[in-house]
Amino acid sequence: MLAPHIKKKVDELWNRFWAAGLTNPLVAVEQITYLLFLKRLEDIDLKRLERGFSSIYEGHETCKWSYIRQEKTNPAHLIDVVFPWLRELDKHFSNGADDTELASLNNRMADAYFQLDPNKGKVLSDAIDAIDQLFARAGEGSAAQDIMGDTFEYLLSEVATAGKNGQFRTPRHLIRFIVELLDPEPGDRVIDPAAGTGGFLFSTQQHLMRKFSAQENLVLEWDGTPHRTDGAAANPEQYSAIHNGANFVGLDNDRTMARIGWMNLILHDVTDPHLLQGDSLSKREGKQKLKELLEPETYNFVFANPPFTGTVDSGDLEPDSVLFPRVGGGGKKKEDAITNKSELLFLWLMLDLLDIGGRCAVIIPEGVLFGNTDAHVRLRRELLAEHVVEGVISLPGGVFQPYTGVKTSILIFRKVTRRGNKQTLPSNTTPLTEYVWFYEVEEDGYSKDARRNPRPGQQNDLWDALVKFKEWTSHGRTGAERFEKTLLQPRYRTERWRQALLRDTSDKLTPAGEAFSTLPDTSMWDGKVWGIHELFPELPSDPKQAEEKVRAMVSGELFKLAIQAMNPAAQKAWEATLGSRLSGKATDEQLISAWKKAAKSAETEFKKMARERESFFEKEESPALPIWKDIVKSALTEIQADAFILGILRSNQPPKPMTLLNIEQKLTEAAREVAKLDGFDVTLRSLEIDQPTNLKAAKHWVVPVREWARNDEWQSVDSQLTGSHDADGLVRPAYVKAMLEEGLYDDKGALKDGLLDPDCIEARDLNLSAGQYKPFDFAQLKSDKNVVELISELKTTELDIIKGLDKLLALVEGRE
């Protein structure tokens, strides 16, 4: 979670590169990432030295970030010195491909170039200063690591262009949801064959760190972003597996994208990430690394959001006919792949990559679920008949805006049949998928317009779907029936966070030049983000309550200080108006005028001292500073109220000096109390998803894949059984056996009429669109009529429509 002032610095950094001519968002991201990577490299090298490896900077000390800072106004130093070294970074390993963070560098920097205009020295200087400022408070430890990863993610989130440059940005809340759905374990091998910037891969590692963290310390943002993941519950083997890049494999066809993705994983502390450039669908001959990474049946999980509605050059497609089905038949194209549509080919690839029992969750365009081409139907038949489709989660339209408005769903399946045991489809064999669970997401926590603004704390169906999917996969139909008319949500709360350095003012001096002596020890601070109630236990966790408490405490103190500061002015005004008051000629206006004249300089001095204390507040976007200014203003307003002043001046006794306080010291203490309120407000959710509300209609439903239609006239061969179903409505095994012997499908592969219930999936051309099976809820019909009357009306309306069509046909044919 980046503080607003850090986001602002990232925005400024982005705008500087944009203004310097790098208007391609992907190029701008890449150039900024190079600088982040160069800063990270120096830290990585220190760790390598601690482990006994030689420095990657030997003979190239001027390539260190610490030196680059000295040449920050000289882009030529980066262009002519640093980047030539970076392009050959592989050569600077003493032991070749060692097992450090850079082991998978794999020549991927060979075409890395710094593209800033050599004359833009000021832009580079500003950029380097901005990056240093980002990490100034966090130092070089884990806090800096967190900020670096979050900075990268924020950079990507700011890229809002359509087309090629926008395709890689899968919303991170959807990625986290998908990973949590399938819940991998340490050591599981995960692959994304269309990895982009590696979002699914680092989110998997993030999920594992969350899963094995001390739950009492774990904090989740409203959208599921985890914080304070420490991995403390993992044993050494598990912890190593969580950081082992060999378990996080990704491929992307775009070399720039793959390089950005690899640097993203490095910045997120994944050691030796296996994210490479390569076309997952292309021929593998002569591409040894590609062939190794795409070895069939070697992965436990596939998470992906492959390109939508793309096409592949059939001549470059991997020719493995077991991987990609052929057209078949007797035509001249019988050996061609059944399709060149990328969204279908990627799904066949994912099936091939999974080991038996492996699971996949993939975002797909809705057309994959109901398309009627041979390839569409063949793919769905294979998924349903030979494997287990666990669920289909329909996403709201526009979740990928502004990139695309394509309607999408999440398809979840488990591999059951080995690639060598594929059947000839269609088949009479009973499908391995008995039922499919569908869920319709209407709210995902963001607005539905092109802006996709976050809506923290409001309804988010993803949390409900997460619980219900796990109930379904754990307990089958019984689990699916649980919470059918209940919406489950976490609890939400707001906290104020800050980077843990309010107490860093211990090195500042008072305006009088004296060091603060009452400040606690700051050695405990680590530069990470904490709640103000954790930093200052006397404050409530709710920001509003904290503000009210501090305001109530400080307001009274400032009022006392203002009275003391203005007391000399009050004495002066009292003495100046004494004669007129004794003679009875003093009017209220005269008294107040005398007060204002006497009080002007005292008021100015008090305001000056209050302004000097503004140095204790955050310089940018401080929520505490307006409160401080308001308390100061209120104190002065209250003491200068007409009634208050007149009460002092009309007294028979001169204003008495109050107990003398050190106004400057007390103002300092008061300002520091208010400054505790600095930070930024964050909406958090509870770890549990256990807050139920009633639903008018179910958001999920379970549909059978194959369900036999009732045939009351059927008789067994021995005539001992009559009717396809028994008294309990269950289909008779003898009936099923008989129908399968006769065959469900004709010679052309078409389903025979009347054998299956028209509402089952197999009877609907294997359509997997959630809306196709959404139950009709009669209870939602706003009508005084009962269901029987409504059905009767529908039948009457249908007859009227048929009569109208008959009349229209007669007119067209000239019979009327």
Side-chain angles (χ1 to χ4, degrees):
M1 176 68 180
L2 291 178
H5 72 275
I6 294 182
K7 290 182 178 179
K8 187 175 181 180
K9 290 186 187 304
V10 176
D11 290 338
E12 291 171 355
L13 184 61
W14 173 275
N15 290 332
R16 292 295 281 143
F17 273 83
W18 184 275
L22 299 178
T23 55
N24 182 321
L26 193 56
V27 173
V29 167
E30 183 181 42
Q31 298 302 300
I32 295 172
T33 306
Y34 281 146
L35 295 178
L36 290 171
F37 183 64
L38 286 168
K39 180 174 177 60
R40 172 81 174 122
L41 266 180
E42 192 163 352
D43 187 45
I44 290 175
D45 190 58
L46 289 174
K47 292 181 180 179
R48 296 178 80 255
L49 288 171
E50 291 172 0
R51 296 167 61 185
F53 293 98
S54 61
S55 173
I56 59 176
Y57 296 108
E58 285 187 3
H60 300 273
E61 281 72 17
T62 58
C63 296
K64 291 182 176 180
W65 181 259
S66 53
Y67 188 90
I68 293 172
R69 279 199 297 248
Q70 300 175 37
E71 291 284 336
K72 64 182 182 180
T73 60
N74 182 15
H77 175 67
L78 278 171
I79 295 169
D80 299 332
V81 178
V82 177
F83 270 75
W85 166 82
L86 187 63
R87 286 193 290 272
E88 297 185 342
L89 187 57
D90 304 65
K91 298 179 181 179
H92 303 291
F93 289 96
S94 60
N95 300 326
D98 54 44
D99 63 347
T100 66
E101 290 84 348
L102 301 176
S104 60
L105 195 58
N106 198 31
N107 203 36
R108 69 180 69 244
M109 293 295 177
D111 56 351
Y113 288 88
F114 196 58
Q115 298 186 33
L116 185 67
D117 187 326
N119 299 313
K120 302 287 186 179
K122 183 64 167 63
V123 175
L124 178 61
S125 177
D126 291 346
I128 289 175
D129 284 345
I131 289 173
D132 277 339
Q133 290 168 16
L134 288 175
F135 305 101
R137 288 186 168 187
E140 301 297 331
S142 60
Q145 181 71 60
D146 293 341
I147 291 177
M148 190 167 286
D150 290 347
T151 298
F152 187 90
E153 278 299 295
Y154 181 68
L155 267 175
L156 294 180
S157 72
E158 290 296 280
V159 180
T161 60
K164 185 180 179 219
N165 291 329
Q167 291 172 356
F168 63 90
R169 182 63 194 177
T170 305
R172 274 7 185 195
H173 71 292
L174 288 181
I175 289 178
R176 281 189 294 271
F177 167 69
I178 287 170
V179 172
E180 194 169 354
L181 274 176
L182 299 195
D183 193 20
E185 294 288 339
D188 286 333
R189 295 195 74 213
V190 178
I191 186 170
D192 181 351
T197 57
F200 278 106
L201 301 179
F202 89 76
S203 291
T204 301
Q205 190 222 28
Q206 199 176 46
H207 171 75
L208 292 170
M209 284 293 288
R210 168 191 163 181
K211 188 174 179 177
F212 285 87
S213 291
Q215 297 301 293
E216 62 271 18
N217 296 330
L218 185 65
V219 179
L220 298 180
E221 279 187 67
W222 68 275
D223 64 353
T225 304
H227 295 276
R228 304 183 193 173
T229 54
D230 52 26
N235 60 40
E237 183 180 356
Q238 290 170 328
Y239 193 86
S240 176
I242 290 172
H243 291 81
N244 183 357
N247 293 326
F248 306 98
V249 178
L251 290 163
D252 196 274
N253 193 33
D254 187 289
R255 183 170 175 83
T256 300
M257 195 77 73
R259 180 164 52 237
I260 290 177
W262 180 81
M263 287 190 288
N264 185 16
L265 295 177
I266 289 288
L267 296 177
H268 278 92
D269 205 24
V270 177
T271 302
D272 185 19
H274 285 38
L275 200 163
L276 284 83
Q277 186 270 331
D279 186 345
S280 300
L281 303 177
S282 69
K283 293 177 180 177
R284 302 169 191 174
E285 185 179 355
K287 305 172 185 175
Q288 186 58 34
K289 193 62 179 179
L290 185 67
K291 187 175 181 180
E292 290 175 6
L293 294 180
L294 296 177
E295 182 69 25
E297 301 183 339
T298 56
Y299 292 92
N300 305 102
F301 291 94
V302 177
F303 298 119
N305 175 23
F308 296 164
T309 61
T311 56
V312 176
D313 178 4
S314 298
D316 189 46
L317 189 65
E318 167 62 28
D320 184 350
S321 60
V322 179
L323 169 59
F324 300 128
R326 308 289 108 175
V327 172
K332 61 181 181 179
K333 293 187 176 181
K334 62 181 180 180
E335 295 302 323
D336 289 354
I338 195 172
T339 183
N340 66 349
K341 293 184 178 296
S342 61
E343 63 267 32
L344 302 182
L345 294 169
F346 267 110
L347 280 168
W348 264 303
L349 173 66
M350 293 172 197
L351 262 177
D352 197 58
L353 292 171
L354 287 173
D355 196 3
I356 298 301
R359 302 167 77 195
C360 173
V362 54
I363 300 173
I364 54 171
E366 199 87 348
V368 172
L369 301 174
F370 59 77
N372 58 5
T373 70
D374 289 346
H376 282 90
V377 176
R378 170 64 188 264
L379 175 62
R380 295 197 299 268
R381 189 180 301 281
E382 185 173 334
L383 286 167
L384 291 164
E386 300 189 13
H387 308 282
V388 174
V389 175
E390 296 182 331
V392 176
I393 299 175
S394 174
L395 297 173
V399 293
F400 286 97
Q401 291 197 67
Y403 310 138
T404 175
V406 173
K407 180 76 171 64
T408 57
S409 288
I410 301 169
L411 177 66
I412 308 160
F413 57 86
R414 183 175 77 251
K415 183 167 179 173
V416 178
T417 304
R418 290 207 174 276
R419 76 190 310 260
N421 296 332
K422 284 189 176 185
Q423 304 171 12
T424 301
L425 299 174
S427 169
N428 292 321
T429 305
T430 301
L432 295 181
T433 306
E434 296 184 64
Y435 296 91
V436 176
W437 179 84
F438 294 93
Y439 189 100
E440 184 178 54
V441 175
E442 296 174 293
E443 302 289 344
D444 73 330
Y446 288 79
S447 63
K448 296 180 180 179
D449 55 20
R451 297 179 67 85
R452 294 290 286 160
N453 293 321
R455 303 170 66 220
Q458 299 189 38
Q459 179 180 329
N460 187 339
D461 294 339
L462 298 179
W463 306 132
D464 185 60
L466 184 62
V467 175
K468 291 175 177 175
F469 177 75
K470 292 187 176 180
E471 285 288 330
W472 156 246
T473 53
S474 299
H475 305 292
R477 298 192 70 183
T478 303
E481 291 170 1
R482 195 178 178 208
F483 306 124
E484 189 172 24
K485 288 293 184 74
T486 302
L487 178 73
L488 294 168
Q489 296 288 280
R491 295 180 301 279
Y492 295 102
R493 69 186 188 279
T494 302
E495 291 184 0
R496 181 162 295 167
W497 289 2
R498 61 176 299 133
Q499 206 169 351
L501 290 173
L502 174 68
R503 301 180 188 182
D504 63 5
T505 51
S506 59
D507 62 346
K508 295 182 181 178
L509 300 178
T510 66
E514 299 173 354
F516 298 128
S517 58
T518 58
L519 295 174
D521 175 32
T522 59
S523 61
M524 62 175 282
W525 299 98
D526 55 9
K528 291 188 177 181
V529 174
W530 300 90
I532 58 173
H533 63 289
E534 296 170 305
L535 306 178
F536 312 105
E538 70 274 14
L539 295 182
S541 61
D542 181 86
K544 295 300 181 186
Q545 294 177 9
E547 288 180 1
E548 290 170 3
K549 181 175 181 178
V550 170
R551 186 184 286 271
M553 178 177 64
V554 174
S555 294
E557 186 69 19
L558 249 67
F559 182 66
K560 292 178 185 178
L561 294 175
I563 289 178
Q564 179 177 328
M566 305 297 283
N567 189 66
Q571 290 182 354
K572 185 177 180 180
W574 189 88
E575 293 170 356
T577 58
L578 180 61
S580 60
R581 283 187 287 107
L582 290 176
S583 65
K585 296 180 180 180
T587 65
D588 289 351
E589 290 77 9
Q590 290 173 332
L591 295 177
I592 292 171
S593 176
W595 161 256
K596 288 182 177 179
K597 183 178 179 180
K600 188 173 183 180
S601 61
E603 179 184 0
T604 300
E605 179 62 22
F606 189 79
K607 287 181 177 179
K608 177 174 177 287
M609 288 189 290
R611 280 197 301 272
E612 288 173 345
R613 270 71 190 168
E614 293 178 8
S615 63
F616 300 135
F617 298 87
E618 292 287 350
K619 294 180 180 179
E620 299 178 9
E621 301 187 34
S622 164
L625 183 56
I627 295 174
W628 171 250
K629 290 180 177 179
D630 185 60
I631 293 174
V632 171
K633 180 181 178 182
S634 296
L636 288 171
T637 300
E638 188 175 353
I639 198 174
Q640 298 189 85
D642 289 355
F644 186 81
I645 296 303
L646 291 172
I648 293 175
L649 298 184
R650 288 200 177 279
S651 172
N652 293 328
Q653 299 294 325
K656 295 181 180 180
M658 300 180 63
T659 303
L660 293 180
L661 300 172
N662 184 328
I663 293 180
E664 290 206 357
Q665 179 183 336
K666 291 299 181 182
L667 274 175
T668 294
E669 293 173 1
R672 284 181 49 73
E673 285 299 320
V674 178
K676 291 178 180 179
L677 297 172
D678 259 340
F680 52 96
D681 289 353
V682 181
T683 302
L684 305 177
R685 51 150 285 200
S686 60
L687 300 184
E688 301 79 20
I689 303 169
D690 55 5
Q691 298 300 297
T693 55
N694 293 329
L695 285 171
K696 292 181 179 179
K699 299 183 74 64
H700 72 283
W701 44 92
V702 174
V703 182
V705 174
R706 177 180 289 180
E707 190 165 73
W708 297 93
R710 194 177 189 94
N711 183 354
D712 293 333
E713 298 179 0
W714 176 81
Q715 286 189 337
S716 61
V717 176
D718 55 11
S719 301
Q720 291 185 8
L721 298 173
T722 300
S724 60
H725 291 63
D726 61 22
D728 295 324
L730 300 176
V731 64
R732 302 182 193 276
Y735 176 76
V736 173
K737 182 180 179 182
M739 293 303 101
L740 292 179
E741 288 176 352
E742 292 181 16
L744 262 175
Y745 296 89
D746 61 24
D747 294 340
K748 295 182 179 180
L751 184 68
K752 294 179 181 178
D753 293 335
L755 294 180
L756 297 182
D757 186 308
D759 290 331
C760 75
I761 292 173
E762 195 170 8
R764 296 197 183 188
D765 211 17
L766 305 167
N767 191 314
L768 285 174
S769 178
Q772 182 78 196
Y773 305 99
K774 186 174 183 178
F776 185 76
D777 190 353
F778 286 100
Q780 293 195 74
L781 288 174
K782 296 180 179 179
S783 175
D784 296 330
K785 299 177 181 178
N786 61 36
V787 174
V788 173
E789 290 173 320
L790 288 171
I791 293 175
S792 178
E793 278 193 12
L794 286 172
K795 290 184 69 175
T796 301
T797 302
E798 181 186 24
L799 290 173
D800 290 342
I801 292 172
I802 292 173
K803 288 179 182 178
L805 289 172
D806 287 342
K807 185 174 182 180
L808 179 61
L809 182 62
L811 287 171
V812 171
E813 293 178 343
R815 291 185 281 112
E816 285 190 14

